[in-house]
Amino acid sequence: MGSVDFVYPSMNDHQCAHRVAIPPPQPFFKSFKNSLKETFFPDDPLRQFKNKTPTRKFILGLQYFLPILEWAPRYSLQFLKADLIAGITIASLAIPQGISYAKLANLPPIIGLYSSFIPPLIYAMMGSSRDLAVGTIAVSSLLIASMLGEEVNATENPSLYLHLAFTATFFAGLLQASLGLLRLGFIVDFLSHATIVGYMAGAATIVCLQQLKGILGLDHFTNSTSIISVMRSVFTQTHEWRWESGVLGVVFLFFLLITKYFSKRRPKFFWISAMAPLASVIFGSLLVYLTHAEKHGVQVEGVAVGRSFAMFKHYHIDGNKEMVAIGTMNIVGSCFSCYLTTGPFSRSAVNFNAGCKTAMSNVIMAIAVMFTLLFLTPLFHYTPLVVLSAIIMAAMLGLIDYEAAIHLWKVDKFDFVVCMGAYIGVVFASVEVGLVIAVAISLLRLLLFVARPRTFVLGNIPNSTIYRNVDQYPNTNNVPGVLILEIDAPIYFANSSYLRERISRWIDEEEDKLKSTGETGLQYVILDMSAVGNIDTSGTSMLEEVKKTTDRRGLKLVLANPGAEVMKKLNKSKFLENIGEDWIYLTVGEAVEACNHKLHTCKPDSTKEETQPLNNV
């Protein structure tokens, strides 16, 4: 960064810098109302009700909470054809996945089918997405197995375990619906993308490793989800490994991965990978039935469906609105022998590729599952566990997004550390510990952004009045006698002390540099406030301390482009009176022009005191 070529036009008498305006005062309740609206209603969901008759408002209100009332009257035969194809396609995926994920949650397979029957019907009425396909997912199934397994043994006390699973589903749905109704869906945004990538990859790794029990035909297996416990359980039972089961598992896993790869390369053949799990169940069941493979180490389901039925016969997307819909379907589902459901990405992608037009595709899927429940469940008696394990592993391998991890490493090393922290927490501890670590790391990252905001030295772009970061633009020129600093974040109690100390260090470094080079001594410090969206009382106190210290050091503090909220707070705190409105400018260019003019017309202050750090004030 140079300084010898800096030339700035002189300020003539007719030239007058624009003044920074103080926004007119607003009543407290109006300001409070606007703040609440921006926090909880950024999408302005009530806009559609403006200037409407009471009857129309009532109809719009019903359509808001029950979107089916909006699209059902316009439903056509053409839509039905598309939704019928999509519904049957996702049903072919939902049936084997429902059985597999129920097994992963240590629940009877029929519970997985129930969970693909009742919740989709609820979502079809309340959901606003036409592409979301509702069903169970592996990660929530693993969470249920892990958390409930610590309290109750599913084998020794299956009835209590089932009741706890349904109760957990009920309260999970209650929490989801409450967050949606209270417009608190933004809380989910505190989980960063890097955290989610690491957490999902870790959970997928654990799920895959646990499927070694089914692949190898083991009877006894650890209930722990840590990789050490799982691998110990696998390799201490090498004498129990069944080669027949292992070969069958590898064959079906290879088949599922090949079909998924083919469909990914040729999207128009999406239905091949969608039908592959059901085809695996059918082929596997036929193989067991015809060869009596259960007598040669291949475990089957062994579920008496009749007994299972007897047990239960007593029986534009708005994120917040979606949470209400998903929460409600879990609340209702828990009352009909369903466990935790949501909108799995893989199934929703198949639904989208199949050309669904409305949420009716979920209804079609539910009808197909109901047909399976009524007439086809006895056939699942011969379903080999190894096939279900292969289905789960094939689905989980897609969640290990190594390409995203590589991208994080290239773009942001800290994000990569966050990702790996969540992954290691899940894999080496447990799913719950991994989740806690993931949330903690996300909050830590957020706190670091808030508590340690960036500050930059600005320089002048040659032949312009533009000022930019000198590290980003090395060819910029510094302004003799003027230090220009940009604060790149709101100023709050969490970062005010840091900013005070950092500004002091910038001044110390600038004065030391000027002394060593023999250039003009520092006279002005300009703070570019363009990126400071807000400031609290700690922030205004910090600016007052900076002002006192710069005065003591013989420097003049200048502000450039403070926003409306900042000006409002500075005015109410009397800081504007302290600094003087003549030292607040609309742009950095005007501030530099004024300082340059005064440097050339006024005598420099020869009584400048020795430098002293701000943190000693």
Side-chain angles (χ1 to χ4, degrees):
M1 183 178 75
S3 62
V4 294
D5 297 329
F6 176 80
V7 177
Y8 209 94
S10 60
M11 179 181 286
N12 300 323
D13 293 337
H14 67 275
Q15 291 178 319
C16 181
H18 298 287
R19 294 296 181 188
V20 179
I22 301 173
Q26 288 186 343
F28 170 76
F29 287 105
K30 182 178 180 180
S31 177
F32 183 69
K33 177 184 175 182
N34 291 337
S35 298
L36 285 180
K37 182 178 179 180
E38 289 302 314
T39 302
F40 298 104
F41 302 95
D43 54 343
D44 195 13
L46 302 180
R47 177 167 49 93
Q48 58 180 325
F49 296 94
K50 292 179 181 178
N51 304 320
K52 297 293 191 300
T53 63
T55 303
R56 184 58 182 164
K57 287 181 179 179
F58 177 74
I59 295 174
L60 289 174
L62 286 179
Q63 291 178 344
Y64 181 80
F65 288 103
L66 296 171
I68 190 173
L69 298 178
E70 179 181 0
W71 56 262
R74 298 181 280 106
Y75 201 72
S76 64
L77 183 61
Q78 183 180 3
F79 281 4
L80 179 60
K81 291 178 180 178
D83 288 339
L84 186 63
I85 296 173
I88 294 175
T89 305
I90 58 176
S92 67
L93 186 62
I95 293 169
Q97 282 190 347
I99 296 172
S100 303
Y101 295 158
K103 168 183 169 289
L104 183 61
N106 293 328
L107 294 169
I110 199 171
I111 299 297
L113 295 179
Y114 280 159
S115 301
S116 296
F117 171 48
I118 299 295
L121 296 177
I122 303 298
Y123 184 82
M125 293 187 291
M126 301 187 65
S128 55
S129 172
R130 67 182 184 184
D131 300 313
L132 195 72
V134 172
T136 56
I137 61 174
V139 175
S140 62
S141 301
L142 179 64
L143 271 172
I144 286 178
S146 175
M147 300 182 74
L148 297 186
E150 295 179 357
E151 306 298 330
V152 180
N153 189 301
T155 304
E156 297 175 357
N157 199 340
S159 179
L160 178 59
Y161 187 89
L162 277 174
H163 291 156
L164 287 178
F166 298 150
T167 304
T169 300
F170 175 83
F171 281 106
L174 190 63
L175 177 62
Q176 288 173 313
S178 299
L179 289 175
L181 287 172
L182 297 175
R183 309 292 295 180
L184 297 176
F186 65 87
I187 292 176
V188 180
D189 296 335
F190 284 90
L191 280 176
S192 66
H193 171 67
T195 302
I196 293 174
V197 169
Y199 176 76
M200 294 301 291
T205 301
I206 289 299
V207 171
C208 287
L209 291 175
Q210 288 208 330
Q211 300 319 301
L212 293 176
K213 175 187 177 183
I215 296 291
L216 298 175
L218 299 176
D219 293 320
H220 305 287
F221 208 73
T222 179
N223 291 324
S224 174
T225 57
S226 73
I227 188 173
I228 296 175
S229 299
V230 171
M231 298 312 293
R232 184 187 298 120
S233 183
V234 169
F235 288 103
T236 55
Q237 302 184 76
T238 53
H239 58 286
E240 298 287 341
W241 291 6
R242 305 282 188 170
W243 70 266
E244 301 93 337
S245 180
V247 170
L248 195 61
V250 170
V251 169
F252 277 109
L253 179 60
F254 181 75
F255 168 70
L256 291 167
L257 293 178
I258 285 295
T259 56
K260 182 178 289 188
Y261 176 79
F262 180 77
S263 295
K264 186 176 181 181
R265 293 293 299 270
R266 300 188 173 219
K268 66 179 180 179
F269 294 107
F270 68 90
W271 54 271
I272 293 179
S273 63
M275 300 291 288
L278 185 59
S280 298
V281 171
I282 295 173
F283 293 152
S285 300
L286 286 174
L287 182 64
V288 169
Y289 177 75
L290 296 174
T291 64
H292 299 286
E294 72 275 11
K295 297 178 181 179
H296 301 281
V298 178
Q299 298 175 339
V300 296
E301 274 289 349
V303 176
V305 178
R307 289 204 305 271
S308 296
F309 273 112
M311 186 185 301
F312 304 109
K313 68 181 180 181
H314 295 288
Y315 16 68
H316 153 78
I317 300 299
D318 185 334
N320 289 288
K321 189 161 68 170
E322 286 294 281
M323 292 189 78
V324 173
I326 293 174
T328 302
M329 78 181 187
N330 277 315
I331 292 173
V332 176
S334 67
C335 301
F336 291 91
S337 304
C338 304
Y339 80 104
L340 200 59
T341 54
T342 183
F345 177 79
S346 58
R347 205 176 301 176
S348 300
V350 170
N351 196 30
F352 173 81
N353 289 330
C356 68
K357 298 299 182 183
T358 67
M360 180 61 73
S361 60
N362 278 288
V363 177
I364 305 296
M365 178 187 72
I367 294 173
V369 172
M370 180 187 68
F371 180 82
T372 302
L373 283 166
L374 293 176
F375 304 108
L376 302 181
T377 44
L379 300 179
F380 294 125
H381 174 81
Y382 294 99
T383 301
L385 293 180
V386 65
V387 173
L388 301 182
S389 296
I391 291 173
I392 293 175
M393 290 184 74
M396 289 301 96
L397 289 175
L399 294 180
I400 303 176
D401 195 350
Y402 64 90
E403 292 181 349
I406 294 173
H407 178 73
L408 291 173
W409 170 259
K410 291 179 179 178
V411 176
D412 191 327
K413 299 295 190 293
F414 191 91
D415 264 351
F416 178 78
V417 172
V418 170
C419 174
M420 294 309 298
Y423 178 83
I424 292 171
V426 174
V427 171
F428 286 93
S430 66
V431 179
E432 305 95 289
V433 172
L435 184 60
V436 171
I437 291 176
V439 174
I441 292 176
S442 294
L443 292 178
L444 176 63
R445 183 78 195 272
L446 178 64
L447 290 175
L448 285 176
F449 276 129
V450 173
R452 293 295 182 267
R454 299 296 185 102
T455 55
F456 310 102
V457 174
L458 303 184
N460 176 248
I461 301 289
N463 303 316
S464 75
T465 58
I466 300 172
Y467 294 82
R468 291 293 183 266
N469 182 359
V470 297
D471 293 327
Q472 184 179 1
Y473 297 91
N475 64 327
T476 55
N477 299 316
N478 67 345
V479 183
V482 180
L483 173 62
I484 310 170
L485 300 176
E486 178 184 356
I487 301 175
D488 196 31
I491 305 176
Y492 294 122
F493 65 93
N495 60 25
S496 58
S497 296
Y498 167 77
L499 286 173
R500 183 184 68 244
E501 296 167 359
R502 191 67 186 93
I503 292 171
S504 173
R505 184 148 61 94
W506 279 122
I507 295 174
D508 292 340
E509 292 172 356
E510 182 69 12
E511 290 194 326
D512 290 343
K513 185 181 73 171
L514 293 176
K515 286 179 182 178
S516 64
T517 58
E519 297 181 27
T520 306
L522 186 62
Q523 298 291 325
Y524 298 96
V525 177
I526 300 176
L527 296 183
D528 181 5
M529 310 281 282
S530 303
V532 181
N534 210 329
I535 190 171
D536 66 359
T537 53
S538 297
T540 57
S541 298
M542 182 274 291
L543 289 179
E544 289 172 358
E545 293 178 21
V546 172
K547 173 69 170 58
K548 290 177 183 177
T549 304
T550 51
D551 287 346
R552 194 159 24 250
R553 299 172 70 159
L555 306 175
K556 195 67 183 177
L557 182 66
V558 184
L559 302 185
N561 195 25
E565 283 297 315
V566 175
M567 285 295 290
K568 189 190 305 181
K569 302 284 181 63
L570 296 182
N571 181 48
K572 291 182 178 180
S573 66
K574 307 298 182 183
F575 181 77
L576 293 184
E577 295 180 8
N578 185 14
I579 193 175
E581 292 189 16
D582 289 341
W583 296 104
I584 302 177
Y585 295 90
L586 192 62
T587 66
V588 174
E590 290 183 353
V592 172
E593 183 180 4
C595 294
N596 187 60
H597 176 73
K598 293 180 186 298
L599 278 173
H600 287 82
T601 58
C602 302
K603 202 171 182 181
D605 187 359
S606 59
T607 63
K608 184 192 294 188
E609 294 187 8
E610 291 296 320
T611 300
Q612 52 181 315
L614 287 173
N615 53 2
N616 291 333
V617 178

